[in-house]
Amino acid sequence: MLRRLVRAYYHFRQYLLLELLPGRKVRRKGVSLGGQRELRGAVDSLNRGIGIDPKSGWAYWMRSKVYVDQGKFELAEIDAERQIKMNPQWFTGYENKASIYYKQKQWEKAIHWYRKLLEVLPQHRYAYWYLARSYENLNDFTNAIKAYK
């Protein structure tokens, strides 16, 4: 199992290197062909790893993040739910669920999951920022200001 997870991590790291580092301060829209290949490799390795150890919350978390980057939000949501059920005190499942809805511009659902994330990890600074941005997108500036504070 460890070998599969290391391989999946390698593919995910390669994807990040291809997409985030080459002279860019901001991630560009879309995924390059090399990045797509690395994401597919990461999913394949994670699938094999989950087949060996279906109780690996880490593998579900990572596969959920890969699915989000591929735009496969339904699959990402399923993996995030599995991770939350496996370990409800681990914040990353809530973070994934919130980001899935945020990227789909489903602001009410994003707000719900960012609030759940903050219940588990109140010091998560980015969650407050995304929560406030979600409120702004709903034109609820009172709650947005509260979240920014």
Side-chain angles (χ1 to χ4, degrees):
M1 174 62 189
L2 183 59
R3 177 185 283 162
R4 301 282 183 210
L5 292 177
V6 168
R7 189 78 183 142
Y9 176 75
Y10 165 79
H11 285 292
F12 192 65
R13 194 184 99 242
Q14 290 301 107
Y15 156 71
L16 292 175
L17 289 173
L18 284 168
E19 295 303 313
L20 300 176
L21 292 182
R24 295 178 206 72
K25 291 184 179 178
V26 179
R27 183 177 170 178
R28 60 188 176 179
K29 294 254 183 200
V31 178
S32 69
L33 288 175
Q36 290 174 2
R37 189 176 327 106
E38 294 301 338
L39 285 176
R40 278 194 306 274
V43 169
D44 291 343
S45 296
L46 288 164
N47 287 341
R48 288 191 296 273
I50 289 169
I52 294 168
D53 182 9
K55 294 181 182 178
S56 174
W58 183 86
Y60 285 111
W61 164 73
M62 186 172 234
R63 191 170 70 176
S64 178
K65 292 200 69 74
V66 172
Y67 282 148
V68 168
D69 283 347
Q70 289 179 326
K72 297 179 180 178
F73 297 113
E74 302 83 20
L75 295 172
E77 189 175 355
I78 290 167
D79 279 354
E81 279 292 326
R82 285 181 185 151
Q83 184 194 6
I84 291 169
K85 285 179 185 171
M86 282 182 205
N87 192 347
Q89 294 307 310
W90 200 21
F91 77 94
T92 54
Y94 301 100
E95 185 179 50
N96 280 355
K97 288 280 283 192
S99 70
I100 290 165
Y101 293 122
Y102 188 88
K103 288 183 179 192
Q104 292 180 324
K105 299 180 181 179
Q106 296 181 21
W107 309 122
E108 292 89 358
K109 289 181 179 181
I111 288 167
H112 170 78
W113 286 101
Y114 281 120
R115 288 199 169 282
K116 284 195 168 277
L117 167 59
L118 289 168
E119 288 173 15
V120 174
L121 187 67
Q123 66 270 29
H124 195 299
R125 289 183 295 162
Y126 293 112
Y128 287 106
W129 188 85
Y130 282 109
L131 177 64
R133 296 288 298 159
S134 298
Y135 278 124
E136 283 181 33
N137 286 313
L138 291 174
N139 294 320
D140 184 352
F141 299 108
T142 304
N143 281 321
I145 291 168
K146 288 178 188 175
Y148 279 126
K149 290 181 180 182

